[in-house]
Amino acid sequence: MSDPAPSPSPPALSAAERDELRRHGILLTGLEELYNWGRSHSVWPLQFGLACCAIEMIAASMARFDIARFGSEVFRPSPRQADLLIISGTVTKKMAPQVVRLWNQMPEPKYCIAMGACAISGGPFKQGYNVLKGIDRYIPVDIYIPGCPPRPEALLHGLMELQKKIRGQSISGPEAPRHLQAGGAPECTVPEFGKNDLEPPLNPEVGKPPTLVRGEGAPPLVAMETLEEIRSRILTRFPEATIEVVANPGPAAQHSLLIDAVHARAIAEFLRDDPQLRLDYCSNATGVDWPAREIEESTKTTVPDPAGGPDKVVEQKKKRTVPGYLEAVYHLYSVALRHGPVVLRQRTGNRTDQVTVPSLTPVWRSCEFQEREAFDLFGIVFAGHPDLRRLLMWEEFKDHPMRKDYVPPDDFEWEPTPHGDVLAKARQHYPASAKETPAS
Ligand code: SF4
């Protein structure tokens, strides 16, 4: 008797049809989808942080951001019970072997998120002799979250990307994750302390640092225009604008461009979008307080000698009072063209009732919190800012503590320490109790 003819396989359902069935309470799924769904919603991170980024990671687990919504609130104190290693902070070379050891102690399937510039590349300490230039030299990283530090929302976004990645994995075949491959997942090499560096300096199975070509054969670095050139191109585009190059006489000679409030937003957009500049990144925005100050100016004039001798140079000194103002200062770089910084300044009319300048947050999103900080601490009002509230101090707090003439009130809890300056201040503020304080 011959075998019956195989019945034709049912036609595959489209995603829309499956969604429609789901809405009616009918769940059609396969083992792979179910397995990936379960794993992606129960990623338990290791309770482990390294530096400032860890504070943001901790915030992500608190009520406001609530990582529990993603099934990842169970921060495990033991690597044996964790699926996710969040490298949140600077990895020093001294710490790197311990980090790799923790990773090796975590059971598969496991994942790694490099959170922040330090974990990705060494960040602000990249040039340091003691800082690892990226944890992915030793550990396979699934998700990179840029920022210094990335905010909790960025971590949650990274977690959602990780969930997406897990849901897209196969449980068989060559695309299967490493722990389902023949032979299982190998342990990562734990580096040892060598004479001047870690040995090996990276795990070639995992780490692929960028190849830097130096000297001959290196791509030419395009020098950025000078501030004068940038200024003249801005003026060609916005002839009505007022722009001044403010010289910095210090050794750094970091000169800056002072722009007027009317054209500030348009100039900022120009700097961001101009193909030669592409200043796509504002690394820092801050405030500066310039109280009214007296400056001495000297002028030299040549006068004829009444006795008929050679002309004389007479120097006249005059004192002039410069009224006070506040400045918002922005440091701009081009990540695309690898140049910068261009330092931009906006100046208020005074320090009292003309303290508004346009917000540059709509141009560079990274200004948002830093403009809020300048608003809070210096009292600069940023028109058009999406959420201008105090940042460090509470709304009811009076005054702006970074102003140079700010005087702390006497009615807050204040504990003097026995240093000369502080003690003198304490005597002034608390004459009665200061008598009992032993002299320094
Ligand atoms: S990336 Fe920035 S915030 Fe994060 S650890 Fe490094 S220095 Fe700190």
Side-chain angles (χ1 to χ4, degrees):
M1 215 174 117
S2 60
D3 287 343
S7 51
S9 47
L13 290 178
S14 69
E17 287 166 330
R18 280 153 58 113
D19 280 351
E20 185 59 29
L21 283 173
R22 262 181 211 169
R23 269 197 284 281
H24 290 88
I26 301 165
L27 184 65
L28 279 185
T29 187
L31 182 61
E32 186 171 273
E33 191 185 356
L34 194 64
Y35 177 66
N36 285 345
W37 173 81
R39 281 194 304 143
S40 66
H41 289 90
S42 57
V43 179
W44 291 359
L46 182 63
Q47 190 166 310
F48 162 78
L50 284 167
C52 9
C53 277
I55 304 297
E56 304 294 317
M57 178 184 75
I58 294 163
S61 68
M62 297 289 138
R64 180 160 180 185
F65 300 99
D66 198 8
I67 205 170
R69 293 176 292 148
F70 303 89
S72 297
E73 77 279 23
V74 194
F75 278 78
R76 302 306 300 166
S78 159
R80 307 278 182 211
Q81 301 161 347
D83 316 296
L84 172 63
L85 182 60
I86 304 175
I87 309 291
S88 52
T90 321
V91 188
T92 58
K93 288 182 180 168
K94 193 168 180 185
M95 193 65 184
Q98 285 67 257
V99 177
V100 182
R101 198 165 288 123
L102 283 172
W103 172 256
N104 284 341
Q105 287 173 349
M106 288 167 61
E108 291 280 358
K110 59 187 171 186
Y111 313 96
C112 177
I113 289 181
M115 181 182 182
C118 283
I120 293 173
S121 66
F125 315 109
K126 190 175 174 60
Q127 305 301 334
Y129 56 91
N130 64 332
V131 171
L132 193 68
K133 293 165 182 58
I135 192 62
D136 60 1
R137 287 169 180 242
Y138 293 110
I139 291 177
V141 171
D142 295 278
I143 302 287
Y144 295 84
I145 307 176
C148 177
R151 284 186 44 79
E153 295 95 327
L155 178 58
L156 296 183
H157 181 236
L159 186 61
M160 283 155 72
E161 289 298 312
L162 180 63
Q163 289 180 324
K164 220 190 276 174
K165 186 172 180 178
I166 295 172
R167 284 200 296 272
Q169 283 179 334
S170 332
I171 56 172
S172 58
E175 297 303 310
R178 53 183 176 262
H179 67 285
L180 295 176
Q181 299 284 353
E187 285 210 337
C188 289
T189 310
V190 179
E192 291 182 0
F193 300 121
K195 192 162 169 245
N196 295 311
D197 206 345
L198 290 175
E199 286 175 7
L202 58 85
N203 177 355
E205 308 272 308
V206 178
K208 293 180 188 61
T211 318
L212 289 181
V213 187
R214 294 199 171 99
E216 258 179 60
L221 269 182
V222 184
M224 197 177 64
E225 293 167 291
T226 62
L227 274 194
E228 278 299 348
E229 286 165 340
I230 295 174
R231 175 179 178 268
S232 92
R233 283 208 304 119
I234 297 173
L235 286 175
T236 312
R237 179 76 178 272
F238 308 103
E240 266 105 67
T242 312
I243 309 173
E244 189 189 319
V245 175
V246 180
N248 179 341
Q254 204 168 53
H255 313 310
S256 52
L257 282 180
L258 175 65
I259 58 176
D260 69 280
V262 177
H263 298 89
R265 187 76 63 78
I267 292 172
E269 280 168 4
F270 171 82
L271 294 174
R272 184 196 58 190
D273 301 336
D274 179 73
Q276 269 171 266
L277 291 170
R278 288 177 66 186
L279 298 168
D280 48 19
Y281 177 49
C282 177
S283 72
N284 180 264
T286 188
V288 186
D289 180 22
W290 294 94
R293 61 196 189 281
E294 203 171 60
I295 54 170
E296 194 173 70
E297 289 172 328
S298 69
T299 46
K300 287 182 182 170
T301 42
T302 312
V303 290
D305 185 359
D311 291 352
K312 284 186 177 167
V313 176
V314 180
E315 187 175 3
Q316 278 187 320
K317 290 198 173 167
K318 258 200 225 158
K319 285 194 174 163
R320 181 166 72 87
T321 303
V322 180
Y325 51 82
L326 304 165
E327 279 184 342
V329 184
Y330 304 80
H331 286 227
L332 311 174
Y333 291 84
S334 172
V335 176
L337 301 181
R338 297 189 296 151
H339 64 211
V342 170
V343 183
L344 211 59
R345 287 169 188 266
Q346 295 201 75
R347 196 173 280 178
T348 62
N350 57 31
R351 300 171 76 241
T352 49
D353 57 351
Q354 294 171 32
V355 289
T356 302
V357 293
S359 166
L360 299 188
T361 298
V363 184
W364 293 288
R365 191 69 200 180
S366 53
C367 298
E368 180 179 350
F369 271 48
Q370 295 181 336
E371 284 188 343
R372 271 182 67 186
E373 192 174 15
F375 165 69
D376 185 1
L377 304 184
F378 292 91
I380 304 173
V381 178
F382 293 92
H385 189 283
D387 184 23
L388 197 62
R389 289 175 292 132
R390 295 199 92 128
L391 186 71
L392 301 176
M393 309 309 287
W394 52 102
E395 286 301 323
E396 293 76 16
F397 189 85
K398 295 277 177 281
D399 218 333
H400 306 289
M402 290 295 279
R403 292 258 188 126
K404 288 185 179 139
D405 51 4
Y406 173 72
V407 180
D410 276 346
D411 60 351
F412 71 108
E413 187 191 12
W414 188 56
E415 222 172 86
T417 49
H419 297 296
D421 289 356
V422 179
L423 211 54
K425 206 166 171 187
R427 287 205 180 94
Q428 190 186 334
H429 281 255
Y430 302 101
S433 60
K435 272 187 205 138
E436 294 145 26
T437 315
S440 58

